[in-house]
């Protein structure tokens, strides 16, 4: 049974049983506590925590997930995968333990002819929480004998999110794979033979503090009993396909087969090679799915995880002996496998493939530069007569330069060295500990929502700001330091919830409104507006005058000019988005935006920079759309209908069944958007494009000024032109010719100065050549020359080399000032004796606190330690003498 069929059967089974099918959320999800969606219940978390009212009593989904904590275990076990899919059925105050167990038993053991999975009932084992007699009795009732029901403690059979929120005992379903996979005795004895496929969580309790998996405080019972289950799709598929591990299922194994063919090997021949091939199969698929959902390779957060996956794939293929590009062969295979279940893979393919192949090219260059840095470290170890490469050097190569530790180990072995792996692992663990501490800090700052939930229980905060900028409303509640309070006095900064509001809460890249909240004797400055939980608008305010109390009637008034300017900027981002898609193709999509009064920033995917002509074209299209006075309209409609009309959506944004679609001239621009806009594009006036730049691999950014700020920028530029024309005694239209002539004169003067400098350098070359010494049969000039750097140092080194004649000769010069520069030149006779400039400059650059590289005949480097000049030259002298 193919994996896609396993997935479809799960969805069909539960929809037949009254569950609403919910599409998978993107892997990049709008949750501050998560890097990626890592569990099937994540999109439903607001319903479990009470932050939102569920729109259905029963739901079913197959959720895309990524977990990276066990990335180093990928390929080594049967069940560790970076990307995986989680089948889940959910009930919110509807059926409970009996329903969940009966559904699970029917789907797992029912006949395949009836749409079930058809597992042998005699091979099914289950676990329940220690004192959950009810669940044990229910399992006996469907046919599981007592000897195949095992009880386990909190660590194994109690589930929570790792943060305050819902929790409860759980029951897990295992399939016995037979004695070939391990000893008998059930899951408590061996979880390789007895493979868990499904976890049924019975949510009953609200946790107030979570310190560990089995260490938490219970606040009290949940308002309703909920069901949250998770069935591992890949684990279920490997059993139904009768393969040994998840890497051999039909959605992964074809990539492994192709990788083995490229490497000239066969899967199953060598254990170490098999691990590398499984890493390739898993990581290529994981990278494909992350990139499809909008992640691009980078050096931080999500982008770093993706970059690591891609580079581990390439690294593994290199260790298998493949040094040519591999992604153009392997990634399309994974695409063909995954687009069956996820059509978005095909829709985003052009963007994904361009970014992936560009990342591979960049990494191949990193490997080349990393090799040079590695050579410097090896030279330093050899100079100290050490057989060990320091662990901090290996960590620097890994962490700073992206050079994989496996390659470092391999190359060190070839050089006759060992790597201090203990020090390397210590440094890696310290880095992981810092990352975990940061993640815990983020979680801790995002979970105290009890006061908000209390206020939300009275209903949503209607946003009236699309039509009203002044609204009279009662104060629903006041929050200070996460707690509800009864009063706020002058000087206090608190959060205020109104029954209804005209203030726009920051969202969709648009800044929050500012303004005031007033009443008789009361004045509050609105500093910020947010939605900490769905449906609740919270105003951060400074109390200037009077006392604020719950129930008090106030007047909320938005700063009208600021709102209008923000609307101008927001509509302008829609115009920029449409213009870029018109220029670059429909595969172009928004990767982020920010707008505030007078300014916009828009990020988009692109494989290369916009040329000056393209930037001019973009600005022209945008301002033409403003001049043509397109009508800006909005309407609410079902999500599927909006998508069918071509409405653009943001990756990671959460949309309900009914969405708001903003249109500019109808189909010219259609986007799902909850922000505020002008009524027609002519109200914007003008957009002045400031520039375009890269903000990550495959992501570009344009910035622009809007309306009055754009006019002011043009006025300032006009004044600048007028001032330059006056200074240069010419007309504005003649400035280009005048500046060109001045540049030509400057260039001629610089050329003449350069000729004088060259003569002076050449005159000094003879004096340096006279300082030649013998180093093991090689004529060596190793000197420090003050006031010479850059191209001059190169010229001097080459001239001295020429002056030394045809006998073996090496020239090493240190110049520069506070940041020393090192140049090394060798002649043909010296190179025949093994004197390579690239290696020698690396030896010297270490003493300068830097690095360097180049060819065998000439190389250059530098650093920050000027005091190390003498040591650098001595190190080179020692290395030359040892040839």
């Amino acid at each position: 049974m193919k994996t896609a069929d396993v997935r479809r059967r799960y969805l069909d089974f539960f929809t037949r049983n009254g569950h609403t099918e919910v599409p998978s959320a993107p892997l990049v999800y709008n949750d501050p506590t998560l890097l990626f969606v890592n569990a099937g219940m994540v999109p439903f978390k607001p319903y479990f925590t009470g932050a939102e009212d569920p729109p259905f009593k029963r739901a079913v989904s197959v959720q895309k997930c990524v977990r990276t904590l066990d990335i180093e275990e990928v390929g080594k076990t049967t069940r560790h995968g970076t990307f995986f899919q989680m089948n889940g059925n959910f009930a919110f105050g509807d059926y409970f333990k009996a329903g969940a167990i009966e559904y699970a038993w029917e789907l797992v053991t029912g006949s395949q002819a009836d749409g079930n999975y058809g597992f042998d009932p005699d091979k099914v084992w289950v676990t329940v929480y220690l004192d959950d007699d009810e669940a044990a009795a229910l399992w006996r009732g469907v046919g599981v004998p007592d000897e195949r029901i095992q009880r386990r403690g909190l660590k194994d059979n109690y589930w929570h999110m790792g943060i305050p929120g819902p929790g409860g005992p759980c029951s897990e379903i295992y399939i016995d794979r037979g004695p070939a996979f391990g000893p008998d005795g059930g899951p408590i004895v061996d979880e390789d033979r007895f493979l868990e496929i499904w976890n049924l969580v019975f949510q009953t309790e609200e946790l107030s503090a979570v310190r560990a998996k089995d260490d938490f405080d219970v606040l009290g019972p949940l308002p309703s009993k909920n069901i949250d289950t998770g069935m591992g799709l890949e684990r279920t598929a490997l059993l139904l396909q009768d393969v040994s591990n998840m890497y051999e299922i039909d959605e992964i194994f074809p990539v492994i087969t192709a990788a083995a063919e490229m490497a000239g090997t066969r899967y199953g021949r060598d254990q170490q090679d098999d691990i590398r091939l499984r890493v390739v199969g898993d990581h290529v698929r994981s990278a494909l799915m992350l990139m499809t959902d909008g992640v691009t390779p980078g050096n931080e957060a999500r982008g770093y995880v993706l970059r690591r996956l891609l580079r581990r794939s390439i690294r593994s293929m290199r260790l298998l002996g493949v040094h040519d590009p591999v992604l153009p062969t392997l990634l399309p295979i994974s695409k063909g496998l995954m687009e069956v279940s996820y059509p978005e893979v095909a829709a985003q393919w052009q963007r994904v493939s361009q970014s992936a192949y560009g990342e591979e090219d960049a990494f191949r260059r990193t490997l080349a530069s990393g090799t040079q840095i590695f050579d410097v470290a090896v030279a330093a170890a050899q100079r100290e007569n050490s057989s060990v490469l320091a662990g901090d050097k290996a960590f620097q190569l890994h962490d700073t330069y992206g050079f994989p530790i496996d390659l470092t180990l391999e190359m060190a072995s070839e050089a006759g060295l060992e790597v201090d792996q203990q020090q390397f692992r210590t440094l890696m663990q310290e880095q992981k500990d810092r990352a975990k501490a940061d993640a815990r800090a983020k979680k801790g700052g995002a979970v105290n929502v009890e006061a908000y939930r209390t206020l939300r229980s009275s209903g949503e905060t209607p946003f009236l700001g699309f039509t009203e900028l002044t609204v009279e409303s009662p104060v629903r509640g006041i929050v200070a330091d996460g707690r509800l309070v009864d009063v706020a006095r002058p000087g206090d900064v608190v959060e205020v919830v109104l029954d209804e509001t005209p203030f726009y809460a920051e969202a969709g890249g648009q800044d929050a409104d500012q303004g005031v909240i007033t009443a008789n004797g009361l004045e509050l400055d609105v500093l910020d507006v947010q939605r900490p939980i769905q449906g609740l608008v919270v105003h951060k305010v400074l109390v200037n005058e009077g006392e604020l109390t719950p129930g008090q009637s106030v007047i909320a008034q938005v700063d009208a000019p600021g709102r209008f300017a923000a609307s101008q900027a927001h509509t302008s981002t829609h115009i920029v988005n449409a213009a870029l898609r018109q220029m670059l193709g429909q595969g172009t999509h928004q990767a982020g935006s920010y707008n505030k009064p007078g300014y916009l920033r828009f990020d988009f995917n692109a494989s290369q920079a916009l040329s000056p002509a393209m930037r001019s074209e973009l600005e022209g299209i945008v301002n033409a759309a403003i001049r043509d006075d397109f009508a800006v309209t909005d309407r609410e409609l079902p999500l599927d209908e909006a998508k069918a009309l071509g409405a653009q959506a943001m990756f990671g944004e959460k949309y309900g069944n009914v969405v708001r679609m903003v249109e500019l001239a109808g189909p010219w621009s259609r986007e799902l958007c909850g922000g505020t806009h002008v009524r027609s594009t002519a109200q914007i006036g003008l957009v002045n494009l400031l520039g375009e730049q890269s903000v990550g691999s495959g992501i570009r950014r344009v910035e622009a000024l809007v309306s009055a700020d754009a006019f002011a920028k043009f006025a300032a530029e006009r004044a600048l032109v007028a001032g330059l024309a006056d200074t240069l005694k010419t007309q504005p239209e003649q400035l280009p010719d005048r500046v060109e002539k001045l540049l030509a004169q400057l260039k001629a003067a610089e050329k003449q100065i350069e000729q004088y400098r060259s003569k002076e350098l050449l005159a000094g070359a003879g004096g340096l050549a006279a300082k030649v010494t013998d180093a093991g049969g090689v004529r060596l000039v190793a000197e420090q020359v003050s006031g010479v750097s850059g191209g001059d140092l190169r010229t001097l080194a080459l001239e001295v080399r020429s002056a030394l004649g045809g006998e073996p000769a090496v020239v090493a010069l240190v110049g520069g000032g506070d940041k020393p520069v090192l140049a090394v030149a060798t002649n043909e006779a010296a190179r025949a004796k093994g004197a390579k400039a690239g290696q020698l400059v690396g030896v010297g650059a270490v003493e300068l606190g830097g690095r360097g590289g180049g060819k065998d005949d000439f190389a250059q480097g530098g650093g920050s330690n000027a005091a190390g000049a003498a040591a650098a030259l001595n190190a080179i002298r020692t290395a030359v003498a040892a040839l």
Side-chain angles (χ1 to χ4, degrees), residues 465-656:
F466 288 132
T467 57
E468 303 291 335
L469 296 184
T470 301
V471 170
E472 185 173 358
S473 171
V475 174
R476 182 181 299 180
I478 307 169
V479 179
D481 297 324
R483 298 188 303 274
L484 291 171
V485 297
D486 295 329
V487 65
R489 296 182 173 87
D492 291 346
V493 175
V494 296
E495 295 175 315
V496 177
V497 175
L498 307 177
D499 279 352
E500 51 189 17
T501 182
F503 282 90
Y504 181 81
E506 180 182 359
Q510 180 176 333
D511 248 358
D513 283 334
Q514 293 187 335
V516 294
I517 297 176
T518 60
N520 288 334
L522 176 72
E523 182 180 298
L524 316 175
D525 280 341
V526 177
L527 308 176
D528 192 15
V529 190
Q530 298 290 332
R531 293 180 185 267
I533 62 175
Q534 185 68 28
L536 192 73
V537 177
V538 175
H539 312 75
K540 183 178 181 180
V541 303
L542 168 64
V543 182
N544 285 326
E545 296 180 17
E547 290 189 353
L548 178 70
T549 56
Q552 186 175 3
S553 180
V554 296
I555 296 174
Q557 186 172 356
V558 174
D559 173 43
R563 162 66 76 79
F564 183 68
S567 299
Q568 290 174 313
H570 199 155
T571 303
S572 296
T573 63
H574 285 226
I575 297 175
V576 169
N577 190 6
L580 285 167
R581 289 170 61 82
Q582 179 178 321
M583 290 172 55
L584 304 178
Q586 296 304 301
T588 304
H589 70 82
Q590 180 177 347
S593 68
Y594 172 68
N595 53 81
K596 63 179 182 179
Y599 171 84
L600 72 85
R601 183 181 72 213
F602 187 85
D603 297 344
F604 61 99
N605 66 299
S607 58
Q608 58 187 13
L610 298 180
S611 66
M614 294 174 73
R615 292 198 296 269
S616 296
E617 181 184 359
L618 173 62
E619 192 173 55
I621 294 173
V622 169
N623 283 296
I626 294 171
R627 179 198 63 216
D628 292 343
D629 198 18
F630 292 158
V632 181
T633 59
D634 65 88
R635 53 176 163 145
E636 293 189 346
L637 69 169
L639 177 60
D640 291 341
E641 184 179 336
K643 288 183 176 179
L645 289 170
Q648 300 300 304
M650 266 291 290
F651 283 119
E653 285 294 323
K654 181 179 179 181
Y655 298 102

Side-chain angles (χ1 to χ4, degrees), residues 440-451:
R440 285 194 296 269
K442 288 182 178 178
K443 286 185 178 182
V447 298
N448 189 11
V449 297
E450 185 60 35

Side-chain angles (χ1 to χ4, degrees), residues 69-232:
L69 290 178
D70 298 323
I71 193 169
E72 301 294 342
E73 297 303 314
V74 169
K76 300 176 183 178
T77 71
T78 62
R79 57 186 185 271
H80 281 100
T82 314
F83 170 84
F84 61 96
Q85 299 158 85
M86 188 62 72
N87 299 343
N89 59 286
F90 309 91
F92 310 98
D94 191 48
Y95 64 83
F96 197 49
K97 291 182 184 180
I101 289 172
E102 289 164 5
Y103 283 139
W105 181 254
E106 179 182 353
L107 180 56
V108 169
T109 63
S111 73
Q112 292 189 5
D114 293 333
N116 303 304
Y117 293 140
F119 285 105
D120 183 350
D122 292 336
K123 294 185 177 180
V124 177
W125 290 64
V126 298
T127 61
V128 298
Y129 183 58
L130 286 174
D131 60 1
D132 195 347
D133 295 333
E134 180 186 3
L138 289 168
W139 282 117
R140 284 194 295 271
V142 297
V144 182
D146 275 333
E147 60 267 23
R148 296 207 307 272
I149 302 173
Q150 297 184 326
R151 297 178 183 252
R152 307 179 84 169
L154 290 172
K155 285 188 176 181
D156 295 295
N157 275 77
Y158 191 99
W159 182 92
H160 53 71
M161 296 186 295
I163 57 177
C170 62
S171 180
E172 296 174 324
I173 302 173
Y174 295 79
I175 303 297
D176 181 2
R177 306 170 74 190
F181 291 92
D184 201 356
I188 62 173
V189 173
D190 190 298
E191 290 197 6
D192 282 328
R193 170 174 173 173
F194 299 90
L195 187 66
E196 178 199 344
I197 62 167
W198 205 345
N199 186 13
L200 315 179
V201 181
F202 313 127
Q203 290 192 5
T204 56
E205 297 174 317
E206 175 94 11
L207 308 187
S208 59
V210 177
R211 292 170 292 274
K213 185 74 168 67
D214 57 348
D215 184 12
F216 50 81
D217 297 332
V218 177
L219 182 64
L222 288 169
S224 64
K225 295 179 178 180
N226 305 317
I227 288 295
D228 160 26
T229 85
M231 169 187 266

Side-chain angles (χ1 to χ4, degrees), residues 291-334:
M291 298 178 79
T292 295
D293 278 357
V295 184
T296 57
N299 291 326
E300 296 180 357
R302 298 182 177 105
Y304 178 75
V305 171
L306 171 60
R307 172 164 284 168
R308 189 179 179 201
L309 292 173
L310 288 169
R311 292 187 170 190
R312 288 188 94 231
S313 304
I314 300 163
R315 180 273 319 272
S316 295
M317 291 299 290
R318 180 186 172 99
L319 293 176
L320 287 165
V322 181
H323 294 265
D324 293 330
V326 298
L327 292 181
T329 298
L330 301 179
L331 200 65
I333 297 173
S334 189

Side-chain angles (χ1 to χ4, degrees), residues 735-816:
L735 271 177
D737 289 340
R738 180 71 173 126
V739 171
E740 187 176 350
K741 289 178 181 179
L742 287 174
L743 289 175
Q745 293 171 2
L746 179 61
K747 188 174 182 180
E750 289 176 341
K751 185 176 181 180
Q752 190 173 19
I753 293 171
E754 182 63 29
Q755 290 173 347
Y756 289 138
R757 182 184 294 116
S758 296
K759 289 180 181 179
E760 184 179 356
L761 285 171
L762 296 179
L768 287 172
K771 297 181 180 181
V772 65
T773 60
D774 180 78
V778 176
R779 305 188 74 195
L780 173 67
V781 173
E783 296 291 332
Q784 185 172 3
V785 288
S786 59
V788 182
S789 61
D792 291 343
L793 192 65
R794 173 190 176 92
T795 300
L796 186 57
L798 296 177
E799 185 64 25
V800 174
R801 183 183 67 181
S802 297
L804 293 178
E807 295 181 34
V810 173
V811 179
L813 303 179
V814 175

